Amino acid sequence: MSQKSLQEQREQRLRNLRSLEERGFEAYPFDFSASHSAAGLQEKYGGSKPGDTYPDEAVTVAGRAMTVRVMGKVTFATLQDATGRIQAYFQKGALEHYNALKKIDLGDWLEVSGTLFVTRTGELTIEVTDFRLLVKSLRPLPDKFHGLTDKEQRYRQRHLDLMVNPEVKRAFILRSRAIAFIRRYLDDLGFVEVETPVLQSVPGGAEARPFLTHHNALDYDFHLRISLELYLKRLIIGGFDAVYEIGRNFRNEGISYKHNPEYTMLELYWAGRDYLDILELVEQMYSRLVLELTGSMTLSYQGQTLDFAPPWPRVDYSTELAKRAGIDFDLLDEERLRAWVADHHPSHEGEEPLQASPINHIFDKLYDLYLEPHLVQPTFVMDHPQAISPLAKKHRTRPGLVERFEPVAVGMELGNAFSELNDPIDQRQRFELQQQLREAGDEEAPPLDEDFLVALEFGMPPTGGLGLGIDRLAMLLADVPSIRDVILFPLLRPE
């Protein structure tokens, strides 16, 4: 629709508004009083048959007019509220301001009162005895089939997407219910929900490039956090037994179907526990969450049936990666691994040779190629190399590895968990190695956090920790292919 046409429609709608005001309608009332929701009425009277009437039950519904059909002395309209749609029937002889319906436009909010009946076609309908305008839509709604089908425009104008495609709301309701379940589950275990800083002087807890922002009053550059981890651990050091936070992280990275630079994480820390205790928590919490929200411990995701019933399969990181990649030697033999990478993954022109990359980048690349994409069912990948786990405790029986697991499903990492490293000497050495990588040009390697190391020297008890991605969990629950479908306002390049 051209800008001229849009402007003409807006001017016509303004004239309609003035006309309604002249007829005694209040342009912008302060409230409304709906006695029922559309879905509530549909559910209550779902067993009705054509011709049924309910003259003794008065109802009031408020919603947006999605269709209006003026047919001489009668008018039909479809009203959409937050729960669904219901039809309204207006009859000239029964309404003082019937002719005002000619000034109602698609998108206007109406409050209608009346009684219920079922049409010959079986549609539950309100026979209107009174109505009023709640708000005039000054812009025309997009046509569902032609005006708002482009995915990017739907993300940019989520308010219109929700109006025209109300089914997309389901994903966000499921997401909200999942977060509420997680809170209840952890609260019942004795966890305390806390909040930690979003603005941090040293961005730590993960390997990621941070966003930078300047604080004028302090004349200091801060970073948006890339992880919740290091501040939550300070609380365990300070004496909390079990804490969690559900909050936003910000990583200055690319965008994909499973990555958004601003995303939501659950992180928790539990004193006296190790990674196997945390594994059991994840397994139980996820299976019960899926059961409560779907009625089953299985759910369908993009044509595949996922079984969340415990126990989930456990696969060993090193053994499984070596098997799938066809490597017949110990993955921790760095010299042989670099030689294998040089042979199997030669660099292309203008590309940095993978074999010359830091060892943690080599492991990550091989994992992304050979292991993670092939794990469909909910699975725990166990016992990662120490080189890619700077905050995890050394494995108690397997040198070179750490006590860590990642839950994975449909080729997506869903989270990360450790027996948390609480040896301040070991932690300092690992931070120093990361600092060396940073100084060598690795922008994702976090800087050394001296304040955290000082806090750790006061003593952190044995602790199990966990981070879970809320957005990816919502993707699975809602059966949507992109993380943008479960983030109400995903990051987009400005138009």
Side-chain angles (χ1 to χ4, degrees), residues 119-137:
T119 66
R120 286 178 296 178
T121 58
E123 185 162 3
L124 184 66
T125 302
I126 301 172
E127 184 171 358
V128 179
T129 56
D130 193 20
F131 73 96
R132 63 175 177 143
L133 177 73
L134 295 177
V135 68
K136 166 68 70 175
S137 176

Side-chain angles (χ1 to χ4, degrees), residues 353-417:
L354 179 60
Q355 72 270 18
S357 300
I359 188 62
N360 58 324
H361 289 187
I362 292 176
F363 278 126
D364 287 343
K365 182 68 173 179
L366 297 182
Y367 179 82
D368 290 344
L369 284 173
Y370 294 107
L371 185 49
E372 187 177 72
H374 306 289
L375 299 177
V376 176
Q377 292 300 320
T379 301
F380 292 116
V381 180
M382 310 286 295
D383 301 336
H384 296 54
Q386 181 179 320
I388 58 173
S389 312
L391 292 161
K393 205 162 188 170
K394 292 177 181 177
H395 201 285
R396 65 196 79 183
T397 61
R398 303 178 67 187
L401 304 181
V402 296
E403 296 197 341
R404 173 183 175 184
F405 72 83
E406 289 181 318
V408 177
V410 290
M412 289 195 303
E413 173 199 339
L414 302 180
N416 200 12

Side-chain angles (χ1 to χ4, degrees), residues 167-181:
E167 66 277 4
V168 305
K169 189 186 299 181
R170 173 180 173 272
F172 302 107
I173 293 173
L174 281 170
R175 176 193 175 106
S176 177
R177 291 178 61 198
I179 293 172
F181 177 92

Side-chain angles (χ1 to χ4, degrees), residues 191-252:
F191 279 79
V192 177
E193 184 174 9
V194 298
E195 293 180 318
T196 59
V198 172
L199 294 178
Q200 299 181 354
S201 56
V202 179
E207 291 189 5
R209 185 184 302 177
F211 289 95
L212 186 68
T213 187
H214 185 75
H215 190 284
N216 291 331
L218 296 179
D219 192 23
Y220 191 86
D221 287 340
F222 287 91
H223 302 85
L224 301 184
R225 67 184 176 197
I226 58 174
S227 170
L228 313 175
E229 181 164 348
L230 299 187
Y231 279 92
L232 290 172
K233 285 182 176 178
R234 287 168 165 89
L235 299 181
I236 298 295
I237 294 167
F240 279 90
D241 284 330
V243 295
Y244 74 94
E245 181 174 5
I246 299 173
R248 292 288 212 188
N249 283 342
F250 306 86
R251 298 186 180 181
N252 198 346

Side-chain angles (χ1 to χ4, degrees), residues 95-306:
L95 293 168
E96 179 183 357
H97 296 293
Y98 177 82
N99 289 334
L101 291 171
K102 296 177 181 179
K103 304 301 179 181
I104 297 299
D105 296 292
L106 294 185
D108 291 358
W109 272 79
L110 301 179
E111 180 187 86
V112 302
S113 299
T115 58
L116 295 168
F117 73 100
V118 182
T119 66
R120 286 178 296 178
T121 58
E123 185 162 3
L124 184 66
T125 302
I126 301 172
E127 184 171 358
V128 179
T129 56
D130 193 20
F131 73 96
R132 63 175 177 143
L133 177 73
L134 295 177
V135 68
K136 166 68 70 175
S137 176
L138 298 181
R139 291 177 178 269
L141 299 184
D143 182 280
K144 177 172 181 177
F145 300 103
H146 303 100
L148 200 68
T149 55
D150 178 77
K151 271 280 190 180
E152 185 164 317
Q153 288 305 312
R154 290 173 59 188
Y155 298 143
R156 288 186 187 279
Q157 302 181 73
R158 184 68 83 183
H159 54 293
L160 295 181
D161 186 25
L162 292 167
M163 286 182 212
V164 179
N165 305 302
E167 66 277 4
V168 305
K169 189 186 299 181
R170 173 180 173 272
F172 302 107
I173 293 173
L174 281 170
R175 176 193 175 106
S176 177
R177 291 178 61 198
I179 293 172
F181 177 92
I182 290 170
R183 282 197 165 100
R184 291 196 307 272
Y185 191 87
L186 295 178
D187 291 346
D188 289 345
L189 288 175
F191 279 79
V192 177
E193 184 174 9
V194 298
E195 293 180 318
T196 59
V198 172
L199 294 178
Q200 299 181 354
S201 56
V202 179
E207 291 189 5
R209 185 184 302 177
F211 289 95
L212 186 68
T213 187
H214 185 75
H215 190 284
N216 291 331
L218 296 179
D219 192 23
Y220 191 86
D221 287 340
F222 287 91
H223 302 85
L224 301 184
R225 67 184 176 197
I226 58 174
S227 170
L228 313 175
E229 181 164 348
L230 299 187
Y231 279 92
L232 290 172
K233 285 182 176 178
R234 287 168 165 89
L235 299 181
I236 298 295
I237 294 167
F240 279 90
D241 284 330
V243 295
Y244 74 94
E245 181 174 5
I246 299 173
R248 292 288 212 188
N249 283 342
F250 306 86
R251 298 186 180 181
N252 198 346
E253 59 187 20
I255 297 173
S256 76
Y257 79 96
K258 59 181 179 179
H259 293 97
N260 191 69
E262 178 182 358
Y263 65 99
T264 303
M265 285 288 293
L266 158 74
E267 287 209 26
L268 65 82
Y269 294 87
W270 201 356
R273 311 301 173 117
D274 65 11
Y275 79 136
L276 297 178
D277 296 310
I278 303 299
L279 183 147
E280 183 178 354
L281 182 152
V282 172
E283 197 170 53
Q284 293 298 322
M285 182 172 71
Y286 261 58
S287 60
R288 295 180 191 183
L289 185 156
V290 171
L291 178 63
E292 177 162 310
L293 268 61
T294 70
S296 169
M297 286 193 186
T298 64
L299 57 81
S300 176
Y301 182 74
Q302 302 297 290
Q304 301 178 94
T305 300
L306 306 181

Side-chain angles (χ1 to χ4, degrees), residues 448-462:
L448 189 147
D449 190 334
E450 186 64 39
D451 286 347
F452 174 71
L453 290 172
V454 169
L456 199 59
E457 290 189 356
F458 283 95
M460 184 174 78

